[in-house]
Amino acid sequence: MKRLILASRNRHKLNELRTFLRNIPLEVVAIDEVAPELALIEDGETFRENALRKARAVFKRTGELSLADDSGLEVFYLNGRPGVSSARYAGVGTTDENNNQKLLAEMQGVAPRRRGAQFHAVLALVGKNTEEFAEGICLGVLGEEPRGTNGFGYDPIFIPDGFTRTYAELSAEEKNQISHRSKAFAKMREILLRHLSSDVGV
Ligand code: IMP
């Protein structure tokens, strides 16, 4: 079976991606299983640029079909921040809790109707003759305080549209049905299946 190398070291993202990839006839391997020393640099200005850089780096190193995710939370009141800086919003090497606290502090006193936000994910697939992208967005609002223990990152402070619970109060199955990453993956799934059936660039 052909292999697909996942260009991520975030175990939560890896778990979500592995779930989405369950029914696709590819052997899914995380980058740490093949090239733990490889640096995955995210210094671009857009999710697309970062996802492409990571997937290209992994393809260059392994010569195998590579999939990267770059994603983050965009708060409209903050003109899209934290955006591409989501992982390091409170500083390089910081914790999810610190990022959440920083964001909540910036949004303190902001009325509910102005707390709109979206999670945004871009997936990049790089292979021999291919560079393809898929994008997904999940709209919602920022909560007033962290709630829930599932998931990761900003999950405890993001309430997706149509729900009263945060992402972190949803089960993994519920989150995976509506999340930005699942929407991006639904498109990537078609791309992967097309490539597998035509064998172009895989
Ligand atoms: P990246 O590795 O630069 O793409 O970092 C993505 C960052 O965005 C993560 O560290 C989280 O802070 C945030 N993020 C992306 N997707 C999610 C999600 O599904 N839930 C919560 N936070 C997320």
Side-chain angles (χ1 to χ4, degrees):
M1 200 185 291
K2 287 183 192 304
R3 301 208 306 177
L4 175 68
I5 317 294
L6 299 182
S8 177
R9 298 198 158 90
N10 178 323
R11 71 182 167 87
H12 300 279
K13 277 192 197 179
L14 289 171
N15 283 343
E16 290 185 9
L17 290 172
R18 281 185 191 280
T19 303
F20 302 144
L21 285 157
R22 243 177 349 210
N23 301 319
I24 298 191
L26 283 165
E27 184 189 343
V28 179
V29 179
I31 186 60
D32 271 352
E33 298 172 55
V34 285
E37 81 297 343
L38 183 74
L40 298 176
I41 297 162
E42 303 179 336
D43 57 0
E45 285 179 10
T46 62
F47 296 120
R48 187 179 166 110
E49 212 177 315
N50 282 335
L52 182 60
R53 268 180 209 187
K54 290 187 277 188
R56 274 186 183 160
V58 171
F59 176 67
K60 191 171 169 208
R61 171 72 174 71
T62 64
E64 297 185 84
L65 191 64
S66 303
L67 181 71
D69 161 296
D70 204 68
S71 48
L73 181 63
E74 297 172 318
V75 180
F76 305 135
Y77 182 80
L78 301 175
N79 298 317
R81 276 190 287 123
V84 286
S85 304
S86 288
R88 53 183 186 280
Y89 197 45
V92 174
T94 195
T95 61
D96 289 342
E97 288 70 27
N98 287 343
N99 284 333
N100 286 338
Q101 286 310 329
K102 176 173 175 180
L103 193 51
L104 288 178
E106 284 181 316
M107 293 295 288
Q108 199 171 10
V110 176
R113 66 186 166 76
R114 302 179 73 191
R115 298 179 76 87
Q118 64 184 23
F119 262 117
H120 191 160
V122 176
L123 295 171
L125 180 74
V126 174
K128 193 151 43 94
N129 298 311
T130 193
E131 287 193 349
E132 304 238 33
F133 300 91
E135 195 159 341
I137 278 170
C138 180
L139 287 166
V141 292
L142 275 199
E144 307 273 350
E145 82 261 305
R147 284 195 338 242
T149 52
N150 299 330
F152 71 105
Y154 298 93
D155 281 354
I157 62 170
F158 180 77
I159 303 163
D161 280 358
F163 288 78
T164 52
R165 289 173 290 158
T166 66
Y167 257 4
E169 292 176 307
L170 301 183
S171 66
E173 292 71 28
E174 285 174 312
K175 179 183 172 190
N176 285 342
Q177 275 175 19
I178 57 155
S179 80
H180 50 307
R181 192 164 295 103
S182 70
K183 288 179 182 160
F185 189 80
K187 298 175 194 162
M188 184 52 73
R189 177 188 177 81
E190 299 306 312
I191 294 170
L192 283 168
L193 292 175
R194 182 160 37 83
H195 280 297
L196 283 171
S197 64
S198 67
D199 216 27
V200 173
V202 181

